[in-house]
Amino acid sequence: MKIINSDDFDVYWKNLPGQTSDSRTEKTVKRIIADVRKNGDAAVRKYASKFDKSSPIKLEVPFSEAKKALEQLRKSDPSLVDALELSAKHLKIFSQKQKEQFSDFEFEMDSGFVTGQRIIPVQRAAVYIPGGRFPLFSSVLMCLIPAFCAAVDEVILSSPPMTDGLPDKKILAAAAIAVISCGAAEKQIRIFAIGGAQAIAALAIGTESVPRIDVITGPGNKYVAAAKRILFGEVGIDFIAGPSDVLVITDGKADNMQLSANFDAADFAAADMIAQAEHDPDARARALVPTREFADEIAAAIERRLAVLPTAKTARASLDAGGIIIVYKNKEEAVRISNIIAPEHLELQISDNDSWIPFLKNYGSLFIGVLSAEVLGDYSAGVNHTLPTETSARFTGGLSVRHFLKTVTTLRCSSGEGYEKIRNAAEIIGRIEGLEGHALSAARRNIN
């Protein structure tokens, strides 16, 4: 864990290793894509036998397996099912509220022409969910529910096969919860036991078994990320996800009357930094604090927590590699640094939170106040945890209903003074640009 003064931040940030092109990964992924494009299902099965825990003959999984997995989970771990159902409920409410912000309209710009927009869901969307040591079943809800709320006709869930040829049982159970919570028809979802870059290629290109998709969402490893990057344009994507990160801005003062008198601000910050660091060694946990003394308190709290943390090995590797606490001089400097870092998760634990919010421009999701732990956004509060990483919050937000919607425009014309003005302007512009066909198209509609 490194502690620096804000004066040294710019040099520190400039010297961080940038995103480098992993030529070996890209070469491998391009080969997989080419093979899937040529050989379809056979190529998918070949790479499954090489990289996954099994290579099922039948790639598609009937939805009955998801329902069965849910019933099994309900018996073995009812509290988890309750928690997932609560998360699904909140995600649905939040996603529906987001959908309300997108609407069709038409309005008369001037006499003789009416402009408008239509909001249309994509016809097919895919959600990719990795397996691995810790299958991300919570991400199933985060990705499927916005798609259902957007009214996508058909949603595909793709996840690597386990030894039994099916995706992880908790992933299947979460899919059933998503469908039930949204009141979606079973025919709206199809499930495939396909993982890795071959899954992204199959979804983007289409094979004998796998339908071609309009947009692919969801997290994945570097091979999945490379496949999404390479195939973007042939298929839509949400964004390229990298290692997870958090930035905690804290001044050490409680901002909520519900907190007890013995509130330990340093321990709150330490807990949230560790929660991020335990993802993997490449995850990044950072904090901005007003004094060196407070920075030392957070560092000490981190050590106390690591001493009893089951995932301490991973968390320590992350903190040693990129964990940092930055001591800022004033609010303006802290805001500047935060906007440069553009964190995936930004936690604001300041005595006057609301006065900071207008100046914070770059983040995937903002968690306001010491009770608003980032982990609540990860799992149960209704906001989406699929968020931009590696400073891409400078230009995009997190996964939402909008990723499954297209905003298209309309134009409706009739005779009128305003119409003649835009017709004449189009004729002039087309001719001056050297596109005489454009000019003649506009001229042909001169109805005077």
Side-chain angles (χ1 to χ4, degrees), residues 357-376:
I357 293 172
F359 304 100
L360 297 166
K361 307 294 185 182
N362 300 333
Y363 51 82
S365 194
L366 179 63
F367 301 85
I368 306 164
V370 293
L371 293 184
S372 304
E374 180 269 322
V375 68
L376 302 181

Side-chain angles (χ1 to χ4, degrees), residues 87 142 347 367 371-383 385:
S87 177
M142 298 285 169
E347 292 193 355
F367 301 85
L371 293 184
S372 304
E374 180 269 322
V375 68
L376 302 181
D378 272 352
Y379 292 133
S380 55
V383 294
H385 76 200

Side-chain angles (χ1 to χ4, degrees), residues 52-53 128-137 158-162 166-169 171 194-196 219-221 224:
D52 295 329
K53 295 180 180 179
Y128 180 80
I129 303 295
R133 288 186 306 145
F134 304 108
L136 300 177
F137 53 88
S158 178
S159 191
M162 300 293 106
L166 302 174
D168 178 85
K169 294 295 192 296
I171 287 174
I194 314 174
N221 62 18
V224 168

Side-chain angles (χ1 to χ4, degrees), residues 44 105 110 190 198 211 219 382 386 404-405:
V44 171
F105 67 80
D110 202 345
R190 295 174 68 183
Q198 64 270 24
T386 307
F404 303 100
L405 299 171

Side-chain angles (χ1 to χ4, degrees), residues 71-377:
E71 290 312 306
Q72 291 172 347
L73 188 61
R74 201 181 296 278
K75 293 175 183 176
S76 64
D77 197 344
S79 63
L80 176 57
V81 173
D82 288 345
L84 290 173
E85 288 177 339
L86 180 68
S87 177
K89 173 186 174 183
H90 292 160
L91 279 162
K92 178 187 176 184
I93 294 170
F94 192 78
S95 295
Q96 289 176 327
K97 188 66 178 177
Q98 286 183 320
K99 177 71 182 303
E100 291 173 7
Q101 310 311 306
F102 300 92
S103 59
D104 297 354
F105 67 80
E106 280 193 331
F107 76 100
E108 187 176 37
M109 182 81 73
D110 202 345
S111 59
F113 70 102
V114 174
T115 58
Q117 77 172 20
R118 293 185 63 214
I119 307 298
I120 305 173
V122 299
Q123 291 181 279
R124 281 195 181 118
V127 170
Y128 180 80
I129 303 295
R133 288 186 306 145
F134 304 108
L136 300 177
F137 53 88
S138 61
S139 293
V140 177
L141 304 180
M142 298 285 169
C143 297
L144 284 182
I145 289 175
F148 288 135
C149 289
V152 175
D153 289 340
E154 187 174 73
V155 184
I156 309 297
L157 171 64
S158 178
S159 191
M162 300 293 106
T163 54
D164 61 359
L166 302 174
D168 178 85
K169 294 295 192 296
K170 290 187 178 68
I171 287 174
L172 289 174
I177 289 172
V179 170
I180 293 167
S181 69
C182 290
E186 291 183 15
K187 65 181 182 180
Q188 279 184 264
I189 187 169
R190 295 174 68 183
I191 302 172
F192 288 85
I194 314 174
Q198 64 270 24
I200 304 303
L203 293 164
I205 298 163
T207 70
E208 302 95 315
S209 299
V210 184
R212 186 182 181 191
I213 300 304
D214 301 317
V215 61
I216 301 174
T217 65
N221 62 18
K222 63 180 181 179
Y223 297 98
V224 168
K228 287 171 73 174
R229 183 183 297 111
I230 293 166
L231 287 162
F232 174 61
E234 195 164 350
V235 68
I237 63 171
D238 45 3
F239 37 74
I240 307 299
S244 193
D245 68 274
V246 70
L247 175 64
V248 182
I249 305 180
T250 173
D251 62 2
K253 301 173 184 177
D255 66 339
N256 192 305
M257 295 305 293
Q258 298 176 46
L259 296 174
S260 61
N262 61 353
F263 163 66
D264 186 341
D267 192 59
F268 269 61
D272 295 351
M273 292 175 73
I274 287 177
Q276 203 64 35
E278 72 174 353
H279 274 289
D280 61 68
D282 293 325
R284 292 295 173 257
R286 304 177 175 110
L288 275 164
V289 302
T291 67
R292 176 63 191 236
E293 292 74 19
F294 189 37
D296 290 335
E297 288 178 28
I298 294 174
I302 286 173
E303 288 301 320
R304 289 193 298 271
R305 286 184 166 271
L306 287 174
V308 296
L309 186 73
T311 54
K313 183 177 179 181
T314 301
R316 187 176 290 282
S318 166
L319 292 166
D320 287 347
I324 188 166
I325 302 174
I326 305 155
V327 181
Y328 63 85
K329 294 178 182 175
N330 52 50
K331 174 181 176 179
E332 291 70 27
E333 189 175 57
V335 166
R336 182 184 75 86
I337 291 172
S338 176
N339 286 332
I340 290 172
I341 293 174
E344 177 187 13
H345 310 97
L346 177 57
E347 292 193 355
L348 196 55
Q349 301 178 12
I350 300 293
S351 54
D352 56 341
N353 290 309
D354 288 345
S355 71
W356 287 60
I357 293 172
F359 304 100
L360 297 166
K361 307 294 185 182
N362 300 333
Y363 51 82
S365 194
L366 179 63
F367 301 85
I368 306 164
V370 293
L371 293 184
S372 304
E374 180 269 322
V375 68
L376 302 181

